[in-house]
Amino acid sequence: MSVSIGKRGLNLNIKGDQVTENIGLPGIGLGYQEKISPKIGEQPIQIKQADQQESSRANRALISLVLLVLLAMLYVYLQTCGAL
């Protein structure tokens, strides 16, 4: 059993202790999904690795945001051309 929080196109899915972020454009089928919490039983991360992981997670979040904006622009363009 899981719980989703958010709207179509941008939500978090919580299943047990796992949290997944979902970003996409409804109706097109393009999207991005990222696990943002560890699974049960995964090894703890050392402090230096945790700092690198936070930096990497921030970079992925920025990439996700840029991807979402580009997908939104493509969606609007395709709608104005009558392709959708």
Side-chain angles (χ1 to χ4, degrees):
M1 185 166 198
S2 68
V3 174
S4 289
I5 301 170
K7 294 187 176 194
R8 270 182 75 189
L10 180 61
N11 66 48
L12 291 176
N13 184 274
I14 303 167
K15 182 176 182 180
D17 70 338
Q18 294 180 355
V19 180
T20 305
E21 150 189 68
N22 302 294
I23 300 171
L25 289 174
I28 292 182
L30 297 174
Y32 176 78
Q33 181 179 56
E34 180 180 349
K35 180 182 78 167
I36 56 176
S37 68
K39 292 181 181 178
I40 295 175
E42 285 185 344
Q43 296 296 323
I45 300 171
Q46 295 176 358
I47 293 174
K48 288 183 182 179
Q49 290 176 335
D51 289 342
Q52 290 173 349
Q53 185 180 20
E54 283 301 317
S55 175
S56 176
R57 186 172 288 161
N59 290 340
R60 287 186 298 217
L62 179 60
I63 290 169
S64 298
L65 180 61
V66 169
L67 177 63
L68 180 62
V69 169
L70 291 174
L71 290 174
M73 290 171 55
L74 176 64
Y75 181 74
V76 169
Y77 173 76
L78 291 175
Q79 276 192 328
T80 57
C81 291
L84 294 179

